[in-house]
């Protein structure tokens, strides 16, 4: 008993904390915990906004696909050299050269031929990205993934544009599911179309 009291007294001498000090330490710890939690929430919000931005940009590009394709003459075919150059450009863009793409879309293009070439490249990028997504869906074996590709194709790629209601009837799903599926599909296509770090 005497030894226990000595150890207790020794411990109190090393860490002589009053209840007020303990309360202050707890308050500081709680404050730091709240600060760290808020910082994590801000990071998550920035990440979510970035993802939403990618999906919006992808939807905008996909929405323009039919219109751009219609303005291009059907007679123009890429030479093998042009195809190789486009493939390399697509790989560069996929690897993170996306600031240049964003800048191009904001500039006014005066030269008609340059505009036409960019339109051709835009169509090429969309077709390549959506083809990669189609292959991913096919390889997955998931009927849900395949359905999402069909919905994306009906909405943006096919000759006849479908409305959400028409897609829901064809696929026998709700309008809400169509919106959700299109959002998921565009989120995946965004990676192929805009790169992982856009």
């Amino acid at each position: 008993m005497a030894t226990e009291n000595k150890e207790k007294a020794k411990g109190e001498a090393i860490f002589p904390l009053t209840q007020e000090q303990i309360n202050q330490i707890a308050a500081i710890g709680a404050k730091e915990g709240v600060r760290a939690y808020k910082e994590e929430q801000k990071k998550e919000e920035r990440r979510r906004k970035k993802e939403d931005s990618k999906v919006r940009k992808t939807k905008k590009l996909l929405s323009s696909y039919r219109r751009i394709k219609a303005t291009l003459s059907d007679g123009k075919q890429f030479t093998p050299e042009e195809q190789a150059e486009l493939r390399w450009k697509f790989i560069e863009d996929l690897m993170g050269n996306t600031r240049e793409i964003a800048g191009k879309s904001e500039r006014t293009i005066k030269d008609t031929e340059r505009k036409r070439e960019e339109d051709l490249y835009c169509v090429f990028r969309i077709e390549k990205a959506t083809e990669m997504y189609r292959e991913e869906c096919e390889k997955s074996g998931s009927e849900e993934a395949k359905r999402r590709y069909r919905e994306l194709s009906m909405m943006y790629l096919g000759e006849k544009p479908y409305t959400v209601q028409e897609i829901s009837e064809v696929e026998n799903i709700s309008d809400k599911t169509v919106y959700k599926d299109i959002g998921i599909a565009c989120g995946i296509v965004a990676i192929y179309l805009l790169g992982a770090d856009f």
Side-chain angles (χ1 to χ4, degrees), residues 90-183:
F90 180 78
I91 290 167
E92 282 177 12
D93 293 342
L94 202 57
M95 300 287 284
N97 189 13
T98 52
R99 286 190 178 91
E100 188 179 323
I101 296 168
K104 282 182 184 176
S105 67
E106 295 171 8
R107 291 192 300 264
T108 305
I109 301 171
K110 296 178 181 177
D111 182 11
T112 306
E113 187 54 35
R114 182 178 165 92
K115 171 79 169 96
R116 186 174 181 285
E117 286 173 8
E118 288 197 2
D119 285 349
L120 283 166
Y121 179 59
C122 185
V123 166
F124 174 83
R125 282 178 52 221
I126 291 169
E127 288 175 351
K128 190 71 175 168
T130 53
E131 177 61 19
M132 290 168 80
Y133 176 57
R134 184 193 65 74
E135 289 172 4
E136 178 184 324
C137 292
E138 290 295 321
K139 286 178 186 172
S140 76
S142 162
E143 290 306 315
E144 191 175 45
K146 292 175 188 175
R147 183 191 74 220
R148 286 182 186 137
Y149 174 76
R150 290 193 305 268
E151 292 172 67
L152 184 86
S153 184
M154 285 186 272
M155 178 78 79
Y156 298 113
L157 306 175
E159 285 187 33
K160 176 200 180 292
Y162 283 73
T163 65
V164 169
Q165 292 74 27
E166 289 170 331
I167 294 170
S168 67
E169 287 173 19
V170 169
E171 293 293 337
N172 197 25
I173 53 178
S174 70
D175 292 0
K176 184 178 178 183
T177 302
V178 174
Y179 283 115
K180 181 180 173 189
D181 284 352
I182 292 292

Side-chain angles (χ1 to χ4, degrees), residues 61 79 105 190:
L61 279 169
T79 65
S105 67

